Amino acid sequence: MRISTTSCLCPFLVCLCFIQRCCGAGHHGAARVPSRNQTRVAGGETEVHHRPKRGWIWNQFFVLEEHLGPDAQYVGKLHSNSDKGDGSVRYILSGEGAGTIFIIDEVTGDIHATKSLDRERKTHYVLHAQALDRYTEEALEPKSEFIIKVQDINDNAPKFPGGPFVALVPEMSEVGTSVLQVTASDADDPTYGNSARIVYSILQGQPYFSVDPKTGIIRTALANMDREAREHYTVVIQAKDMAGQVGGLSGSTTINITLTDVNDNPPKFPQKNYQLYVPESAQVGKPVGKIKANDEDLGANADVKYSIINSEGANTFSISTERDTREGVVSLKKPLNYERKKTYTLHIEGTNTHVDPRFSYLGSFKDTAMLKITVGDVDEAPVFSMDYYIMDVYENAPGGTEVGAVTARDPDSRNSPVRYFLDSVEEGTRYFRIDESTGVVRTTQPLDREDMPWHNITVMASEVDNPSLLSHVPVTVQVLDVNDNPPGIATDEEAIVCESSRPGQVIQTVSAVDKDDFANGQRFSFALPSQLPVNPNFTLKDNEDSTASIIARRRRFSHLTQELYELPIVVWDGGEPSLSGTSTLTLRVCPCQRHGRVRMCQGEAFLSSAGLSTGALIAILLCIVILLAIVVLFITLRRSKKEPLIISEEDIRENVVTYDDEGGGEEDTEAFDIIALRNPAAAEELKFRRDVRPEARQHRGAPHRRRSPSVDELDETDVHEFIRQRLAEADMDTSVPPYDSLQTYAYEGQGSPAGSVSPLDSAGTQSEQDYNYLDEWGPEFQKLAELYGEAESDVTT
């Protein structure tokens, strides 16, 4: 097969096909030596097997994009060697776009594109060609693949993605400083022609900026661009394809370039001389005026530091920078006095805090100005001669005693008279008063140092002509001490005396206290009262160091005999005049451990007052523990006792019935009825035995029961004989159940020497026994003797 294109027909391929056909015809009529593809048959002939040869040579097809003609665009031609031109070969096209974008003439094999193609959407199409016999539908050529490429044309202009752009560059930058790089993109094929070859150029922004035509880097083109003169620039960059040739497509973008600030401008005061009026009443530390140096720079480059460079102004005034407004704030360091100095001259300097050394050639980045301050005269409050006063007065001094004096004057030139008074709000005004003309402070009543050693008052002064102007001064009054308080023993606690103390042993060391101050209260002497007899138990020794020792005079103390002792002690101070006081020290006797440590002093005192010794307390505690153990054991045994398995009236096991009732005496006749013992016959008539049915008692075969004895007979018969008879009846009775029944009769008999304790037979006579001997047994039986004595008196009565 031969392939024809719209561009050209290769003559070489045409000649090659013609030579191939001629050689094939010559060989067809010639004899050939059998080869591996030949087979001998009968008659000496050979059958030749032809190896199939490819009937077409493939090349790529090309189709131009964006075809806008009225007819379908011719792409190429498919032709097979087997095609004789008689229409017996049918060509089939399949693959991408076959039948829709690309159509083929089945007879001629011509391929056409029916639609306009866009290379930027799809660059090539893969198709398959096949040649069939129109009549037999046999494949004359194998199915083969070929490619149709879409040939690019310059139909896309360059574009700047992300535009417009913003860029910053410092002012005063050197020529050629890089600002920003812009890059344009072109959708055309960069490998075919110049459709995607871009060249950059600047349309707007000259002569300040330039652009590199290949890289798109924007640079500064003018030296010393000043932000203060112009800050913002608009630059338009164009990108053109086809290497910038005529007919190429182009696109543009905008770059907004801003010059950033550098410190290239020094601060400048708008004028060189300033004036300021400040009254002499201005407060120290408060602002009195402002001054400002202008700086055309921005941000930190415009920060200015102010200072006063002459000593006259720096000693009285200070200046600081206000951050927001960058103004110099002038403040007062010392009070002004119009009468002393009426004017001040300040030399103020403003300096940039962030200096750029690159611009040092421009000069010094600072400026100076002169500020003249005029002090104004005002009516001032009186001024005291001192900032504070300290006075003193002795305690107990009579009211009206002079404490001290304050002095104030009018600082103005008029020198107006001054009036003094105390601040009525303070507590100290009730103890002091002041002379309003002279300023002398006096007491109003006697003062007590021990109650309040210091007094703080405030004295105020005002001009007589202008009372609204007030000045204050603090006054401290110290109350001096006099020896007016007697001393006493320092501690109020009880002293401990060990029972095992020995004669001469120091019981305790005591000291004294005095409400008076150090001068009169730190030298003390001690002694026992001279008017009292000699104490047999304790004595006192003055240690001559403002302490005294209490010493035992006898051996062995007992808290059971006497627990507390009181010891009066006389104390003298060393004041002028000397004062004395008597204090009573309480000493408590306690058992002590070794080294004198007290052992349970409070507990022992409690037991002694109750009259119990340690052994008795231990015995009581032991008894309580034993009783608790018995109670716990009893409860445990009661819980562990087993209940009977069968509780029934028809229990057939052997039972032991026990009657253990002592009776309730004369008042309880229902609890125990003795009729059954006195008159058994009557009991039989009233009640049947519980262990025998009533019918069994009337059984014909039952033996005749013996008659029970009567009551009269019972009186004459021994009870033992009665019980024996009852036992015989029980043994002889055949109607009873098969288990034994034990009956118990608790009868003491009549032959006891002690007699009966039952109140049934007790006589009405009282005992004649004498109980007076109980009085001789001691106080323990006194109450019992009184009870029996009252009983005998009642009987006699």
Side-chain angles (χ1 to χ4, degrees), residues 406 419-422 433-442:
V406 297
R419 183 173 64 90
Y420 304 95
F421 55 95
L422 298 179
R433 57 184 175 85
I434 189 171
D435 189 292
E436 65 176 13
S437 300
T438 62
V440 176
V441 180
R442 300 178 182 274

Side-chain angles (χ1 to χ4, degrees), residues 245-545:
Q245 298 177 5
V246 179
L249 302 179
S250 63
S252 62
T253 186
T254 301
I255 300 95
N256 296 314
I257 300 177
T258 302
L259 298 181
T260 58
D261 184 65
V262 296
N263 191 10
D264 58 340
N265 293 281
K268 294 289 184 181
F269 286 101
Q271 58 193 56
K272 291 297 182 180
N273 296 291
Y274 296 88
Q275 290 186 353
L276 183 65
Y277 172 82
V278 180
E280 63 174 340
S281 59
Q283 297 182 10
V284 175
K286 298 294 183 180
V288 296
K290 295 181 179 180
I291 189 171
K292 184 178 182 181
N294 297 325
D295 195 324
E296 296 180 354
D297 295 324
L298 298 176
N301 297 322
D303 290 342
V304 180
K305 180 181 179 181
Y306 299 92
S307 59
I308 301 175
I309 58 178
N310 65 321
S311 59
E312 178 188 356
N315 292 334
T316 310
F317 298 90
S318 64
I319 189 169
S320 60
T321 304
E322 191 176 46
R323 179 176 299 180
D324 296 334
T325 61
R326 295 187 176 92
E327 293 177 328
V329 181
V330 181
S331 301
L332 189 63
K333 291 175 62 177
K334 294 181 180 180
L336 299 178
N337 193 331
Y338 173 81
E339 288 73 24
R340 293 182 180 179
K341 191 172 180 61
K342 297 179 175 58
T343 60
Y344 292 88
T345 301
L346 279 66
H347 296 278
I348 299 176
E349 181 182 72
T351 307
N352 277 145
T353 57
H354 301 85
V355 179
D356 194 336
R358 295 178 302 171
F359 307 104
S360 59
Y361 65 90
L362 297 177
S364 176
F365 283 78
K366 60 184 177 181
D367 194 16
T368 58
M370 187 174 64
L371 175 62
K372 184 177 181 181
I373 296 179
T374 302
V375 181
D377 185 21
V378 295
D379 192 5
E380 301 176 76
V383 178
F384 285 94
S385 60
M386 301 177 64
D387 294 335
Y388 60 91
Y389 293 86
I390 298 179
M391 306 176 182
D392 55 55
V393 62
Y394 281 99
E395 65 174 331
N396 302 328
T401 301
E402 181 178 345
V403 179
V406 297
T407 303
R409 66 175 183 84
D410 183 11
D412 299 324
S413 58
R414 294 179 301 174
N415 196 15
S416 300
V418 177
R419 183 173 64 90
Y420 304 95
F421 55 95
L422 298 179
D423 189 354
S424 59
V425 179
E426 296 181 341
E427 183 69 18
T429 55
R430 65 175 183 172
Y431 299 105
F432 304 94
R433 57 184 175 85
I434 189 171
D435 189 292
E436 65 176 13
S437 300
T438 62
V440 176
V441 180
R442 300 178 182 274
T443 61
T444 60
Q445 57 183 321
L447 304 179
D448 187 2
R449 188 200 68 85
E450 288 73 32
D451 183 25
M452 186 179 297
W454 296 88
H455 294 269
N456 296 315
I457 58 176
T458 301
V459 177
M460 295 185 292
S462 65
E463 296 181 8
V464 176
D465 299 336
N466 190 1
S468 60
L469 295 177
L470 297 176
S471 59
H472 305 73
V473 66
V475 178
T476 301
V477 180
Q478 181 184 8
V479 182
L480 302 179
D481 181 62
V482 296
N483 192 20
D484 59 344
N485 290 280
I489 299 298
T491 178
D492 295 334
E493 298 179 358
E494 297 177 343
I496 302 301
V497 181
C498 294
E499 292 184 340
S500 59
S501 298
R502 302 182 304 275
Q505 181 178 349
V506 176
I507 301 301
Q508 187 172 351
T509 301
V510 296
S511 59
V513 292
D514 195 328
K515 293 183 180 179
D516 295 323
D517 66 358
F518 181 83
N520 295 322
Q522 291 299 318
R523 298 185 299 275
F524 302 100
S525 58
F526 303 84
L528 295 178
S530 59
Q531 67 273 16
L532 296 179
V534 178
N535 193 318
N537 301 312
F538 306 98
T539 185
L540 186 69
K541 178 186 177 183
D542 192 347
N543 298 326
E544 297 182 357
D545 59 353

Side-chain angles (χ1 to χ4, degrees), residues 16 91 221 278 429 471 567 601 685 695:
L16 182 62
Y91 297 97
V278 180
T429 55
S471 59
L567 182 65
C601 184
E685 294 177 0
E695 296 80 38

Side-chain angles (χ1 to χ4, degrees), residues 410-706:
D410 183 11
D412 299 324
S413 58
R414 294 179 301 174
N415 196 15
S416 300
V418 177
R419 183 173 64 90
Y420 304 95
F421 55 95
L422 298 179
D423 189 354
S424 59
V425 179
E426 296 181 341
E427 183 69 18
T429 55
R430 65 175 183 172
Y431 299 105
F432 304 94
R433 57 184 175 85
I434 189 171
D435 189 292
E436 65 176 13
S437 300
T438 62
V440 176
V441 180
R442 300 178 182 274
T443 61
T444 60
Q445 57 183 321
L447 304 179
D448 187 2
R449 188 200 68 85
E450 288 73 32
D451 183 25
M452 186 179 297
W454 296 88
H455 294 269
N456 296 315
I457 58 176
T458 301
V459 177
M460 295 185 292
S462 65
E463 296 181 8
V464 176
D465 299 336
N466 190 1
S468 60
L469 295 177
L470 297 176
S471 59
H472 305 73
V473 66
V475 178
T476 301
V477 180
Q478 181 184 8
V479 182
L480 302 179
D481 181 62
V482 296
N483 192 20
D484 59 344
N485 290 280
I489 299 298
T491 178
D492 295 334
E493 298 179 358
E494 297 177 343
I496 302 301
V497 181
C498 294
E499 292 184 340
S500 59
S501 298
R502 302 182 304 275
Q505 181 178 349
V506 176
I507 301 301
Q508 187 172 351
T509 301
V510 296
S511 59
V513 292
D514 195 328
K515 293 183 180 179
D516 295 323
D517 66 358
F518 181 83
N520 295 322
Q522 291 299 318
R523 298 185 299 275
F524 302 100
S525 58
F526 303 84
L528 295 178
S530 59
Q531 67 273 16
L532 296 179
V534 178
N535 193 318
N537 301 312
F538 306 98
T539 185
L540 186 69
K541 178 186 177 183
D542 192 347
N543 298 326
E544 297 182 357
D545 59 353
S546 296
T547 64
S549 299
I550 301 173
I551 301 174
R553 301 190 62 178
R554 67 183 181 87
R555 182 186 303 274
R556 297 288 182 183
F557 292 86
S558 176
H559 71 284
L560 298 178
T561 304
Q562 183 175 353
E563 183 181 6
L564 299 176
Y565 293 89
E566 293 184 351
L567 182 65
I569 300 175
V570 181
V571 186
W572 289 270
D573 60 18
E576 292 294 338
S578 179
L579 298 180
S580 64
T582 302
S583 302
T584 301
L585 181 65
T586 302
L587 297 96
R588 178 180 294 275
V589 179
C590 285
C592 295
Q593 296 178 349
R594 295 180 181 179
H595 309 295
R597 290 184 297 175
V598 178
R599 181 185 64 182
M600 297 175 60
C601 184
Q602 296 296 332
E604 291 290 342
F606 172 76
L607 293 176
S608 299
S609 62
L612 295 177
S613 62
T614 304
L617 180 62
I618 294 175
I620 292 174
L621 294 177
L622 184 60
C623 293
I624 293 174
V625 172
I626 294 174
L627 289 176
L628 290 176
I630 293 174
V631 171
V632 172
L633 181 61
F634 178 73
I635 294 175
T636 304
L637 293 176
R638 287 290 300 272
R639 291 183 176 179
S640 63
K641 183 179 178 181
K642 296 181 178 180
E643 296 295 332
L645 298 177
I646 301 177
I647 303 176
S648 176
E649 296 180 356
E650 299 180 358
D651 191 1
I652 61 176
R653 295 177 301 173
E654 297 182 355
N655 292 335
V656 177
V657 181
T658 302
Y659 301 90
D660 190 9
D661 192 352
E662 295 183 357
E666 296 177 348
E667 298 177 357
D668 188 4
T669 58
E670 297 180 359
F672 184 80
D673 192 358
I674 203 170
I675 296 177
L677 206 59
R678 292 291 186 181
N679 191 0
E684 289 293 338
E685 294 177 0
L686 294 176
K687 182 173 65 175
F688 298 112
R689 289 178 57 180
R690 289 178 296 175
D691 54 348
V692 181
R693 293 185 180 181
E695 296 80 38
R697 292 179 175 271
Q698 299 176 4
H699 196 272
R700 294 180 181 179
H704 180 69
R705 185 170 299 173
R706 187 181 301 175

Side-chain angles (χ1 to χ4, degrees), residues 31-36 38 46:
R32 297 188 181 94
V33 178
S35 63
R36 290 183 298 174
Q38 296 176 353
T46 59

